[in-house]
Amino acid sequence: MTAGGTGQPEAGSGDKGAARTALAGLTTRGRSFLAAGIAAAICAYVLGQPDLLRVGLLLAALPLICAAVVYRTRYRVAGSRRLSPARVPSGSEARVHLRMDNVSRLPTGLLMLQDRVPYVLGPRPRFVLDRVEAGGRREVSYRVRSDLRGRYPLGPLQLRLNDPFGMCELTRSFSTYDTLTVIPRVEALPPVRLGGEAKGYGDGRQRSLALAGEDDVIPRGYRYGDDLRRVHWRLTARYGELMVRREEQPQRSRCTVLLDTRAVAYDGAGPDSSFEWAVSAAASVLVHMLERGFSVRLLTDTGASVPGEGADGFTGGGDGSADAAGLMMDTLAVVDHSDGTGLSRAYDVLRGGNEGLLVAVLGDIDEEQAAVAAKMRQRSGGAVAFLLDTDAWGREPNGVPDPINRQEERLRMLREAGWTALSVPRGVSLSELWRQADRERAGIVTAGGTHGREAGS
């Protein structure tokens, strides 16, 4: 048998290894026949019964012959696996398609096909394939599902060979495997217009002039089709060729999504825990902003960010938006708790300059970390924070609220620093919070005067 068309699987080294492999494949029935035959042969020798000796030799030889035949069986079989889709949200199902091709000129016997999958994806699938004719193929499929994020290997594919009497069973493995990526659930967000989303301006895109004055112009040579009204005659006379002013250049708006992954900031575990809600919220915001054409960057409390096409992060819009979202989702599929205790590393990354819109998904923060988050607001054109109420997430549905509630105090500190800060109780929808953030943001802008003044505060 050729595993995946890559060659003959190893069955052992030398004749002793081959014999051990063949005998190890004996089933319970085969071992019983072998033991009965040996016992009958011993009794026949003691009692002097030649007929019983013949029966004993037959019983002992049958499983040994079957083991030898199965071990020497050589099928040229090629196997392939296809995932549909290869990247699936948690709680959703993916289908795995298996295809077996008989590439030899001889038909195969009865084959048992088995694929190895992690236990979180469900039971191990097994299929019985009837005789496959020369050059024929068989296709089967099964479904997998996981409520937990992660990257799960599927394979290698295994074939079990049996003899017609069920005396021996050997397993031959293919060498390749595939990976199923279970990403966080993404919630569709309404197309609201958050203030300050583009370095302090409400428009989804901003434009910057390439000239700062008559004497501080960045020119370029004239190109066929340029408007003659843009010709700069003074520079044309200086350089001796037609020079034109550069037109306004579109500059893509930016958004940074900060995900708090500190283990001390969350309680509980599992698909319904507060940390999983935070990861899902970050994924939803990332996908939403990419679809709107933003340059998006994912940042964690450790200061690590997902590298993108440029310094501003992944560029949304166009054909590359789906690829960028896929890379972001792959990162969030395996993100886990960090050992950090603060947000200072993330602040060090953000302090380098204006980051456009900053959306933070935070767990439990103390007064010191709230002060660090407040300073982050100074480096962004707009800032929205979703602060998980860990006390509410940790209580049972009918639990008694904690009389010492620090949530409102932390929200007050963030709001005074200019954040649009919202508390996240258990069971709330992110789309509802997104609309609420838009309404509160609009109220802040109206109360603070013009939009530009508020963004610069």
Side-chain angles (χ1 to χ4, degrees), residues 29 62 120 195 224 247 249 299 340 359 401 432 438 446 454:
R29 179 184 298 178
L62 183 59
V120 296
Y224 178 78
E247 60 185 359
Q249 301 294 327
L299 180 67
V359 180
E432 298 176 3
D438 178 51
T446 303
E454 192 284 329

Side-chain angles (χ1 to χ4, degrees), residues 201-226:
Y201 297 89
D203 193 2
R205 296 176 181 269
Q206 65 174 356
R207 306 182 70 86
S208 61
L209 288 175
L211 54 91
E214 187 70 16
D215 297 326
D216 187 18
V217 178
I218 304 177
R220 64 170 175 83
Y222 176 83
R223 299 172 184 171
Y224 178 78
D226 285 339

Side-chain angles (χ1 to χ4, degrees), residues 411-453:
L411 291 173
R412 184 189 62 80
M413 293 179 62
L414 294 177
R415 288 164 181 166
E416 289 180 353
W419 284 82
T420 302
L422 300 176
S423 178
V424 181
R426 188 183 185 93
V428 70
S429 171
L430 179 62
S431 59
E432 298 176 3
L433 294 175
W434 196 250
R435 292 190 182 92
Q436 183 180 350
D438 178 51
R439 293 192 297 267
E440 294 193 9
R441 187 70 179 172
I444 293 176
V445 174
T446 303
T450 63
H451 198 248
R453 290 199 194 102

Side-chain angles (χ1 to χ4, degrees), residues 121-352:
L121 298 182
R124 179 171 297 184
R126 294 182 175 89
F127 305 93
V128 177
L129 303 181
D130 294 332
R131 178 178 177 272
V132 182
E133 64 279 4
R137 72 177 59 169
R138 296 290 186 271
E139 294 184 3
V140 293
S141 65
Y142 64 94
R143 294 178 296 178
V144 291
R145 179 181 181 274
S146 175
D147 293 328
L148 300 176
R149 299 175 292 109
R151 295 173 61 86
Y152 301 101
L154 300 179
L157 199 62
Q158 294 179 334
L159 280 179
R160 287 187 177 183
L161 305 180
N162 297 70
D163 65 280
F165 301 101
M167 298 289 181
C168 184
E169 180 180 275
L170 293 180
T171 301
R172 305 289 175 85
S173 296
F174 290 79
S175 57
T176 59
Y177 66 92
D178 295 281
T179 302
L180 175 68
T181 303
V182 181
I183 62 176
R185 287 188 291 265
V186 175
E187 184 175 352
L189 301 181
V192 302
R193 180 176 174 179
L194 295 173
E197 59 189 13
K199 290 188 178 178
Y201 297 89
D203 193 2
R205 296 176 181 269
Q206 65 174 356
R207 306 182 70 86
S208 61
L209 288 175
L211 54 91
E214 187 70 16
D215 297 326
D216 187 18
V217 178
I218 304 177
R220 64 170 175 83
Y222 176 83
R223 299 172 184 171
Y224 178 78
D226 285 339
D227 191 348
L228 292 179
R229 290 174 296 181
R230 292 172 45 221
V231 174
H232 195 283
W233 298 108
R234 181 181 299 178
L235 292 177
T236 298
R238 179 185 302 176
Y239 292 105
E241 60 176 334
L242 281 177
M243 304 295 293
V244 297
R245 298 183 178 92
R246 289 187 180 180
E247 60 185 359
E248 293 181 346
Q249 301 294 327
Q251 186 172 1
R252 191 177 298 273
S253 51
R254 296 185 293 175
C255 175
T256 298
V257 179
L258 172 60
L259 175 61
D260 184 7
T261 63
R262 296 171 300 135
V264 297
Y266 300 93
D267 292 328
D272 297 327
S273 63
S274 57
F275 181 67
E276 292 302 320
W277 190 97
V279 174
S280 178
S284 302
V285 175
L286 287 169
V287 172
H288 178 72
M289 289 302 179
L290 281 172
E291 291 175 349
R292 296 193 61 185
F294 278 66
S295 290
V296 180
R297 179 175 62 168
L298 172 63
L299 180 67
T300 65
D301 58 285
T302 61
S305 59
V306 179
E309 297 176 351
D312 294 341
F314 287 100
T315 301
D319 298 335
S321 179
D323 296 336
L327 292 175
M328 292 281 190
M329 293 303 103
D330 289 344
T331 301
L332 290 176
V334 296
V335 70
D336 202 355
H337 289 296
S338 68
D339 298 330
T341 58
L343 304 173
S344 57
R345 292 182 181 179
Y347 171 71
D348 292 338
V349 176
L350 294 173
R351 68 189 303 179

Side-chain angles (χ1 to χ4, degrees), residues 36-98:
I38 295 175
I42 294 175
C43 292
Y45 176 78
V46 173
L47 300 176
Q49 296 292 331
D51 295 335
L52 182 59
L53 179 61
R54 297 187 187 95
V55 173
L57 292 178
L58 177 63
L59 293 177
L62 183 59
L64 296 178
I65 295 174
C66 291
V69 172
V70 172
Y71 181 80
R72 297 297 299 174
T73 299
R74 295 294 182 266
Y75 293 142
R76 291 181 55 83
V77 180
S80 63
R81 183 189 299 102
R82 179 172 57 88
L83 305 181
S84 177
R87 186 185 293 117
V88 62
S90 59
S92 300
E93 289 185 345
R95 183 168 288 276
V96 183
H97 301 269
L98 303 178

